[in-house]
Amino acid sequence: SHEQLYQEFLPLLSDLLQGLNRLQSGQHKKYMKDLFVELCLTVPVRLSSLLPYLHMLMDPLVSALNGSHTLISQGLRTLELCVDNLQPDFLYEHIQPVRAELMQALWHTLHNPDDGVASVAYRVLGKFGGSNRKMLSTPQPLKYNDSLFPEASISLTFP
């Protein structure tokens, strides 16, 4: 039965996630790294079974949010699942080691040309509530554009 197979798979979960993390951090071609990240995020187990190993999903989650369109969508789904179903303090404790990179990746995702991806990123940030501002302790790097005719500009004057 399905439940019996599931129970036999659970003891392998720790080794599987460690191996996939090691592979996605190694020297592989981009498409192979993307495959390992996707496999980390799509392990077929219940969220309650993943809780002891949640820290092993944080690096692949950041990699996914910085990856291809498919990986960004998968990363946002995974992050939204965690935000929806986990206690904020528990989740933030696990996000802490990758907080700056995660916020940076979400920031870039907000500017994604695909409106569907950007709206999911806004929704996830909204679900973080005011806590997303607590995680913004590292300033976002900005690119300086010295063109004479910028696409959009804001003039600030201080008295």
Side-chain angles (χ1 to χ4, degrees):
S1 97
H2 177 71
E3 190 60 32
Q4 186 179 12
L5 178 62
Y6 186 78
Q7 292 305 320
E8 288 183 28
F9 179 75
L10 282 180
L12 306 173
L13 187 58
S14 175
D15 291 335
L16 175 68
L17 287 174
Q18 284 177 356
L20 289 172
N21 266 312
R22 192 172 42 255
L23 288 169
Q24 72 105 15
S25 300
Q27 298 294 322
H28 296 283
K29 294 186 188 287
K30 181 166 176 21
Y31 73 92
M32 290 300 293
K33 286 184 178 193
D34 289 352
L35 177 64
F36 299 136
V37 167
E38 187 173 359
L39 287 171
C40 278
L41 297 180
T42 57
V43 173
V45 294
R46 297 179 193 113
L47 183 59
S48 60
S49 300
L50 271 176
L51 294 181
Y53 312 109
L54 195 59
H55 65 279
M56 292 184 198
L57 292 180
M58 292 300 121
D59 282 333
L61 182 59
V62 170
S63 295
L65 292 174
N66 287 316
S68 66
H69 176 76
T70 304
L71 283 178
I72 291 171
S73 297
Q74 183 63 46
L76 287 171
R77 277 195 304 271
T78 301
L79 184 58
E80 188 170 26
L81 177 73
C82 291
V83 170
D84 286 345
N85 294 293
L86 299 177
Q87 292 293 323
D89 292 338
F90 180 80
L91 179 60
Y92 299 146
E93 176 184 319
H94 287 84
I95 286 176
Q96 189 63 29
V98 295
R99 181 193 72 231
E101 295 90 355
L102 181 69
M103 287 295 119
Q104 177 97 22
L106 280 171
W107 173 263
H108 288 297
T109 304
L110 294 175
H111 301 290
N112 194 304
D114 180 2
D115 289 337
V117 168
S119 67
V120 173
Y122 276 112
R123 188 172 67 226
V124 169
L125 282 171
K127 289 179 179 183
F128 273 121
S131 300
N132 65 18
R133 289 184 295 282
K134 291 179 191 173
M135 291 191 281
L136 288 174
S137 61
T138 307
Q140 298 294 317
L142 301 174
K143 294 179 186 172
Y144 177 69
N145 183 357
D146 63 352
S147 69
L148 296 174
F149 304 102
E151 298 170 14
S153 65
I154 297 175
S155 297
L156 298 175
T157 57
F158 298 98

